């Protein structure tokens, strides 16, 4: 979703802003722009499409100046074109914005009645006009922004500059991320640390409703009532290298291959010879986890699929009932919350609007506590939760989530085992499963070695329009995740079904044009799955079966394409069997020539509803 970068410095800031926008490209966008205030003019460059297209225009006519704002826009109000691209200029003000202003239509009418003319269809330009109006009453830029945001309904992160106050940028946030990068004699604003890490590693995270004013020399934060506020600055642990693509062709490929290390990092210092280590969920976790009688897991997209796998694990090992729900539904539903229910939010970014809103809503619903499984330590989800387990996957840039998913599974496996131990899971089995979990990085490594075979297999999918993914039990969410990957980046329509449901509808779709991908590691339901696959073969469906190294398959199934891999055990097999499905979608997308890291219409961090 939209990305913001802003700077107040002595040097020319346009190159810094453009580099920052490039670091934010992963979030997904369809136009880009920058505005620089210099002398008595705000000059800007905007373009539909990629940052490099905007940069080419900038290169032809550079904008010197030390104060600037920049933006990548993911269209909400109005089509993606140059006119709707940010920054918007109204009067003496330029503004960039991430989020959605819900009352913009009425504000726009009021401003029009007072003679304002709008050139775009955006809610952002309305905000710019409002701030410019408030400035003309003699307010400072900061006072005008404060007065404006008090009138806004909805979500926003903004950066604003005014010709009347050279060298100053004012930012504000509600519901969308914005942080400050503190440099030496220069300061910055950005949507995330990645946008700023090349210029500084000192970051200050803003809280809800904060307004911030930066100049070259100062950073001042204010609460909505205009009172100064103290916000701590931290050294970011992000390294500039972590966001480089290195030798890989795409970020997604790099992130797929980083999984053995990422999962090892998730487990590091959290599980040992005698099981899950104490206090890994925080020192306040023990009484909560002892008291928990059921769990509600809420998330979006891939994180939701991780929650679905966790349901199978936790119910089996800890005998606790688990409900998993997509956040956009959960937040508006009249949910029944039995006593001693733990609320678990799962999010790679920790900024997904629906997940965050669901978590805030859960506060009013009387849960025992909130627990976050998340990849970004400074994110809103983490800051607002009672208990947490960081996944430590490192920055994930590819829009299609890969290492975030397997590290979420590793985190959930720790939680399931810990809850199991507390609730009478047989100790020998507990120790065996702990050992199995510790071997997960090794088996992911081994699954990655079958890439050449997957690459060949991917050719079968290039010309297909549809694909069906099947799994049973805990492998059903893995099938869902595999189908999501394929549709996200190759634009092939893909659906996943629990194989037992085939007869209730999807079997009607099966013919020789329909590839059927079956996730079939050894497990109690493998024989049932085999019967389902026979039904598919009988109707001419083309089978692609991912099975355990030594599993016995029937001859008819073997006539399809078989991919064998070492599962490492039934418990960890969902994580291991995810790997070939990620590789499959990756190679199909590469062969179809799509934009693998930034698929059309999608965003990495969905910070609007
Ligand atoms: C977007 C991304 C997905 C991600 C989902 C949830 O749709 O494209 O990859 O799974 O958001 O994001 P979160 O950061 O909350 O895990």
């Amino acid at each position: 979703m939209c990305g913001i970068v802003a700077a107040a410095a002595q040097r020319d800031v346009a190159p810094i802003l453009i580099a920052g926008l490039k670091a934010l490209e992963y979030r997904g966008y369809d136009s880009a722009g920058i505005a620089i205030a210099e002398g008595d003019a705000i000059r800007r460059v905007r373009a539909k499409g990629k940052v490099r297209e905007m940069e080419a225009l900038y290169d032809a006519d550079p904008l010197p100046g030390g104060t600037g704002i920049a933006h990548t826009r993911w269209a909400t109000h109005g089509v993606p074109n140059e006119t709707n691209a940010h920054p918007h200029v109204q009067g003496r003000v330029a503004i960039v914005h991430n989020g959605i202003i819900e009352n913009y239509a009425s504000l726009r009418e009021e401003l029009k009645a007072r003679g304002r003319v709008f050139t775009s269809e955006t809610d952002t330009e309305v905000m710019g006009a409002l701030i410019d109006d408030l400035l003309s009453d003699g307010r400072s830029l900061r006072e005008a922004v404060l007065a404006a945001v008090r009138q806004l309904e909805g979500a926003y992160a903004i950066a604003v500059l005014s010709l009347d106050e050279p060298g100053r940028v004012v930012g504000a946030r509600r519901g969308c991320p914005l942080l400050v990068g503190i440099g030496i004699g220069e300061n910055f604003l950005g949507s995330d640390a990645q946008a700023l890490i090349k210029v500084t590693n000192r970051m200050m995270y803003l809280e809800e409703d904060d307004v911030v004013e930066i100049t070259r020399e100062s950073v001042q934060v204010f609460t909505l009532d205009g009172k100064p506020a103290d916000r701590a600055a931290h050294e970011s642990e992000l390294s500039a290298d972590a966001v480089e693509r290195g030798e890989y062709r795409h970020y997604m490929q790099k992130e797929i291959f980083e999984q053995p290390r990422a999962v090892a990092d998730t487990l590091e210092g959290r599980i040992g010879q005698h099981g899950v280590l104490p206090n890994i969920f925080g020192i306040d976790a023990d009484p909560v986890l002892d008291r928990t009688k059921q769990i509600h897991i809420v998330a979006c997209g891939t994180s939701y699929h991780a929650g679905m796998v966790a349901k199978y694990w936790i119910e089996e090992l800890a005998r606790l009932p688990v409900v998993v729900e997509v956040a956009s539904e959960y937040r508006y539903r009249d949910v029944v919350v039995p006593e001693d229910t733990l609320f678990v939010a799962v999010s790679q970014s920790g900024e997904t609007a629906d997940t965050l809103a669901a978590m805030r809503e859960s506060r009013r619903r009387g849960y025992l506590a909130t627990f976050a499984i998340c990849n970004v330590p400074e994110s809103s989800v983490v800051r607002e939760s009672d208990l947490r387990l960081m996944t430590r996957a490192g920055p994930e840039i590819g829009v299609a989530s890969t290492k975030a998913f397997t590290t979420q599974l590793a985190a959930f496996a720790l939680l399931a085992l810990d809850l199991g131990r507390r609730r009478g899971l047989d100790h020998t089995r507990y120790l065996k499963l702990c050992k199995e979990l510790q071997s997960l990085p090794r088996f992911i490594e081994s699954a990655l070695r079958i890439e050449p075979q997957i690459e060949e297999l991917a050719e079968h999918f290039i010309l297909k329009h549809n694909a069906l993914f099947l799994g049973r039990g805990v492998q059903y969410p893995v099938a869902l995740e595999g189908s999501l990957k394929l549709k996200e980046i190759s634009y092939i329509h893909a659906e996943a079904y629990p194989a037992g449901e085939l007869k209730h509808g999807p079997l009607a779709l099966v013919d020789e044009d329909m590839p059927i991908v079956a996730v079939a590691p050894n497990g109690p339901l493998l024989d049932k799955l085999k019967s389902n696959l026979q039904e598919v073969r009988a109707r001419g469906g083309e089978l692609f079966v991912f099975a355990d190294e030594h599993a016995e398959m029937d001859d008819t199934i073997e006539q399809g394409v078989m991919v064998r891999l070492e599962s490492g055990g039934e418990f960890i097999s969902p994580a291991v069997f995810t790997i070939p499905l990620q590789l499959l979608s990756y190679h199909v997308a590469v062969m179809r020539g799509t934009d693998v890291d930034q698929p059309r219409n999608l965003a990495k961090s969905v910070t609007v509803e």
Side-chain angles (χ1 to χ4, degrees):
M1 285 252 132
C2 307
I4 290 176
V5 199
Q10 192 163 21
R11 50 181 166 158
D12 286 344
V13 291
I16 300 173
L17 298 180
I18 292 173
L21 290 185
K22 286 184 178 165
L24 291 174
E25 284 191 299
Y26 77 95
R27 295 163 74 89
Y29 70 103
D30 31 48
S31 59
I34 61 174
I36 303 287
E38 181 63 2
D40 198 36
I42 294 173
R43 291 180 60 208
R44 62 183 165 160
V45 185
R46 300 177 298 165
K48 184 181 168 195
K50 296 290 179 193
V51 174
R52 62 175 177 273
E53 288 162 54
M54 188 270 290
E55 190 183 14
L57 297 177
Y58 165 84
D59 285 343
D61 186 11
L63 310 178
T67 316
I69 56 179
H71 192 259
T72 47
R73 171 176 188 255
W74 190 83
T76 56
H77 293 84
V79 295
N81 60 18
E82 189 188 326
T83 317
N84 287 329
H86 302 205
H88 288 286
V89 175
Q90 273 283 340
R92 296 179 68 75
V93 162
I95 180 169
V96 291
H97 164 222
N98 170 13
I100 293 179
I101 302 304
E102 284 160 11
N103 58 337
Y104 90 104
S106 56
L107 287 170
R108 186 182 164 107
E109 288 316 305
E110 278 169 36
L111 288 157
K112 265 169 110 175
R114 294 210 291 273
R116 280 280 164 179
V117 177
F118 293 98
T119 54
S120 78
E121 300 157 76
T122 64
D123 49 352
T124 309
E125 196 185 4
V126 175
M127 262 194 282
L130 181 61
I131 294 168
D132 190 53
D133 236 36
L134 291 159
L135 271 179
S136 55
D137 292 347
R139 290 180 175 86
S140 68
L141 180 59
R142 181 211 334 149
E143 287 163 348
V145 169
L146 272 164
V149 294
R150 286 190 202 115
Q151 297 182 42
L152 301 179
E153 287 163 25
Y156 57 79
I158 55 172
V160 192
L161 50 82
S162 157
L163 277 177
D164 294 335
E165 296 183 44
R168 195 176 304 268
V169 178
V170 174
R173 66 156 293 199
R174 174 187 297 164
C176 294
L178 189 68
L179 56 87
V180 184
I182 303 169
I184 298 167
E186 53 188 19
N187 291 304
F188 309 91
L189 299 177
S191 292
D192 66 25
Q194 273 149 247
L196 306 179
I197 195 69
K198 288 203 171 129
V199 280
T200 179
N201 65 353
R202 283 204 80 201
M203 309 286 172
M204 178 192 281
Y205 290 86
L206 298 174
E207 293 186 6
E208 275 297 90
D209 281 329
D210 278 353
V211 170
V212 62
E213 185 176 288
I214 61 164
T215 65
R216 273 167 49 198
E217 303 298 343
S218 64
V219 173
Q220 286 176 285
V221 181
F222 302 87
T223 52
L224 199 55
D225 53 11
K227 297 212 175 83
D230 270 338
R231 304 286 175 242
H234 304 273
E235 302 290 316
S236 172
E237 284 172 14
L238 196 68
S239 82
D241 293 349
V243 290
E244 297 296 337
R245 191 154 41 81
E247 78 218 44
Y248 291 96
R249 187 162 167 201
H250 296 98
Y251 279 107
M252 183 181 179
Q253 189 189 27
K254 172 177 181 247
E255 287 153 10
I256 289 174
F257 279 87
E258 276 173 353
Q259 288 176 108
R261 191 216 30 83
V263 168
D265 286 350
T266 314
L267 300 176
E268 169 79 32
R270 290 169 168 171
I271 187 164
Q273 228 183 332
H274 304 294
V276 178
L277 300 179
N279 298 330
I280 65 164
F281 309 108
I283 42 169
D284 310 329
D286 273 346
V288 173
L289 297 179
D290 283 339
R291 230 175 101 182
T292 298
K293 293 214 182 68
Q294 48 274 306
I295 297 181
H296 288 176
I297 300 176
V298 174
C300 302
T302 289
S303 299
Y304 168 69
H305 295 154
M308 287 180 75
V309 172
K311 174 183 167 75
Y312 285 87
W313 283 343
I314 296 170
E315 292 198 338
E316 190 197 330
L317 301 178
R319 311 302 303 146
L320 285 171
V322 179
V323 173
V324 193
E325 189 162 359
V326 287
S328 53
E329 286 299 309
Y330 171 92
R331 62 184 289 195
Y332 294 116
R333 207 162 63 77
D334 194 1
V335 178
V336 176
V337 181
E339 209 177 320
D340 294 331
T341 304
L342 179 66
F343 180 91
V344 180
V346 196
S347 176
Q348 187 283 127
S349 62
E351 300 293 351
T352 300
D354 283 320
T355 308
L356 195 53
M359 191 163 124
R360 289 179 181 152
E361 186 59 34
S362 80
R363 291 262 172 229
R364 303 196 294 109
R365 294 181 177 175
Y367 283 88
L368 178 59
T370 53
F371 184 118
I373 291 189
C374 189
N375 191 33
V376 182
E378 306 85 4
S379 63
S380 305
V381 163
V382 172
R383 280 185 286 143
E384 294 182 28
S385 59
D386 304 318
L387 308 174
R388 59 200 59 97
L389 190 62
M390 302 314 305
T391 51
R392 303 174 181 160
E396 192 181 64
I397 310 286
V399 164
S401 189
T402 51
K403 62 177 179 171
F405 180 68
T406 43
T407 54
Q408 284 167 350
L409 292 186
F412 266 128
L414 289 167
L415 180 64
L417 286 167
D418 190 67
L419 288 168
R421 181 189 56 79
R422 287 168 201 271
R423 298 178 51 86
L425 173 65
D426 171 73
H427 196 65
T428 314
R429 181 157 183 234
Y430 168 73
L431 289 179
K432 179 182 164 287
L433 294 180
C434 286
K435 219 167 150 204
E436 197 178 309
L437 179 56
Q438 285 172 284
S439 70
L440 178 57
R442 192 154 48 82
F443 285 99
I444 291 181
E445 186 98 59
S446 141
L448 287 168
R449 284 199 283 271
I450 62 171
E451 191 189 26
Q453 192 190 347
I454 304 281
E455 210 173 332
E456 270 175 40
L457 184 155
E459 287 175 19
H460 294 260
F461 288 74
I462 308 176
L463 298 175
K464 299 290 181 197
H465 299 292
N466 300 288
L468 196 56
F469 285 66
L470 300 176
R472 292 200 71 143
V474 70
Q475 307 303 339
Y476 164 52
V478 175
L480 277 169
E481 178 57 14
S483 74
L484 176 63
K485 287 294 84 91
L486 190 68
K487 77 175 78 126
E488 278 179 317
I489 60 168
S490 72
Y491 315 147
I492 293 174
H493 168 236
E495 282 192 75
Y497 265 88
E501 271 289 295
L502 260 183
K503 291 192 200 65
H504 301 288
L507 209 49
L509 298 172
V510 173
D511 60 18
E512 47 290 348
D513 276 339
M514 175 69 95
I516 318 275
V517 178
V519 191
N522 288 348
L525 291 172
L526 182 60
D527 284 336
K528 301 272 179 211
L529 177 66
K530 284 197 228 162
S531 314
N532 302 136
L533 297 184
Q534 298 285 8
E535 291 158 13
V536 170
R537 280 302 293 163
R539 279 144 191 99
E542 199 185 357
L543 279 181
F544 298 87
V545 182
F546 293 81
D548 249 280
E549 217 174 10
H550 303 296
E552 279 196 20
M553 288 285 161
D554 313 337
D555 289 348
T556 27
I557 297 177
E558 296 261 8
Q559 283 163 15
V561 177
M562 293 295 304
V563 181
R564 304 274 186 177
L565 59 157
E566 295 181 285
S567 74
E570 212 180 298
F571 180 47
I572 60 169
S573 65
V576 177
F577 274 67
T578 298
I579 308 300
L581 302 186
Q582 295 171 343
L583 288 169
L584 175 66
S585 59
Y586 172 74
H587 284 292
V588 175
V590 170
M591 288 171 190
R592 283 168 66 99
T594 60
D595 189 346
V596 172
D597 285 331
Q598 292 163 35
R600 68 184 181 203
N601 306 338
L602 298 181
K604 178 79 186 154
S605 187
V606 181
T607 49
V608 296
E609 193 177 348

